[in-house]
Amino acid sequence: MPSAYDLTRDEWAQLLPNEPRFRVDQIWQALWREDREIAEITTLPKTLRASLAEQITSPLTVVNDVSSDRGTTRKWVFALAGGATIETVLMSYEDRVTVCVSTQAGCAMACSFCATGQAGFNRQLTVGEVLAQVFTAARSAAPRRLSNVVFMGMGEPLANYPVTIEVVRRLHEWRGLSARHLTVSTVGVAPAIERLADEGLPLTLAVSLHAANDETRNELVPLNRRYNLQRLAAACAYWMETTSRRLSFEWALIDGVNDTDRAMDELAAYARPLFAHVNLIPLNPTPGYLVRGSTPDRVATFREGLEDRGVNVTVRRTRGRSIDAACGQLAAVSNPKRRRLPVTD
Ligand code: SAH
């Protein structure tokens, strides 16, 4: 059974063969512009709402719903059809409201320091399932208007390419979100970055780099063995030339692993020719990776060192750590008790 955000305008019309055409417009407007659920579209006759309820499924079931940062960060754990679980995070800032969506249940990329990677891959999400996350968040954000969507939740968006690009198109064209406010984050699937560049949408691209030498990156991000740094740089250069959009590199600072002076030199040398912006993320704790994040002092020194080397850099403010909602912590664990790091005696 389809869900509300799976359907195109024509598919709605087919679902309502005996209704006047303006019914489709009402539904469309309510869903895509007013963030309403079918049951809330009170301009529709009750009988019609009841019949739609039998033909349209709601794809997400809330399993857990927690907030932190004084209510400005909210995380949902949703169960999908078939039982897989995913997580979605809503973050309100002074100047924007951002939702971080999952594109896969689990992830096959196996990055060592990421909780989703540690848990493995379950299944691909559908267009309706990704969009339902966006609109759940949009309803929660009201009366503020959801402004940004980042594809930085569970999964590798470019390993679910057709769904990711369709969601992007629908948000851009049907919801009217500026493509600049849509950020796709990838671990570095080089051919898919090039394909995305050719789509002709002024998206924001973030590449999870974390190491700028192949030996370290092979360890942190196993996909590097398939698309190494040189291949990735070629894809990034193609992105820049084709879209004229700046790209950013994500770099989770790990104590003694990628926060050394040598790492700083390597990153600067890699980022500069690509004019990439660097986002430093202090490493967030995950159960399966017992290396620590860099100290705040080291984070500051690393940032200054990059600036001295001519690189644009920001340190990402961490949100939602206390509810396991921060970068790399999404494992869809519905148990409200905090997971604990294994204790060695
Ligand atoms: N698979 C895509 C989308 C997920 S984005 C990608 O990797 O880009 C999630 C971001 O959080 C990525 O930049 C990822 O590298 C980063 N991350 C993963 N584990 C982390 C951790 N423990 N601490 C901080 N950032 C982490």
Side-chain angles (χ1 to χ4, degrees), residues 100 103 107 109 111 113-115 118 151-157 184-188 206-210 221 250-253 281-286 289 316 326-329:
C100 176
T103 51
C107 186
M109 298 295 131
C111 300
F113 52 92
C114 174
Q118 290 155 14
F151 295 76
M152 294 189 179
M154 297 172 79
E156 166 52 45
V184 172
S185 182
T186 178
V187 81
V207 175
S208 297
L209 195 63
H210 307 305
V221 180
E250 319 289 300
W251 191 279
L253 278 164
I281 318 168
L283 184 84
N284 293 308
T286 62
Y289 190 68
R316 185 179 285 173
C327 301
Q329 294 189 312

Side-chain angles (χ1 to χ4, degrees), residues 188-207:
V189 190
I193 292 174
E194 290 158 356
R195 193 171 157 198
L196 192 65
D198 287 332
E199 302 278 354
L201 284 161
L203 291 174
T204 302
L205 181 70
V207 175

Side-chain angles (χ1 to χ4, degrees), residues 226-296:
R226 181 126 162 236
Y227 305 114
N228 67 15
L229 285 161
Q230 198 188 347
R231 176 71 188 86
L232 182 58
C236 291
Y238 184 79
W239 170 268
M240 275 219 331
E241 286 154 20
T242 313
T243 64
S244 310
R245 297 276 299 148
R246 193 192 66 176
L247 67 132
S248 60
F249 288 139
E250 319 289 300
W251 191 279
L253 278 164
I254 310 169
D255 188 30
V257 174
N258 65 358
D259 67 351
T260 58
D261 287 353
R262 183 184 147 197
M264 203 187 281
D265 287 334
E266 290 166 347
L267 170 54
Y270 195 81
R272 243 184 348 237
L274 293 165
F275 305 101
H277 183 97
V278 171
N279 257 319
L280 298 176
I281 318 168
L283 184 84
N284 293 308
T286 62
Y289 190 68
L290 297 181
V291 176
R292 282 178 303 138
S294 309
T295 61

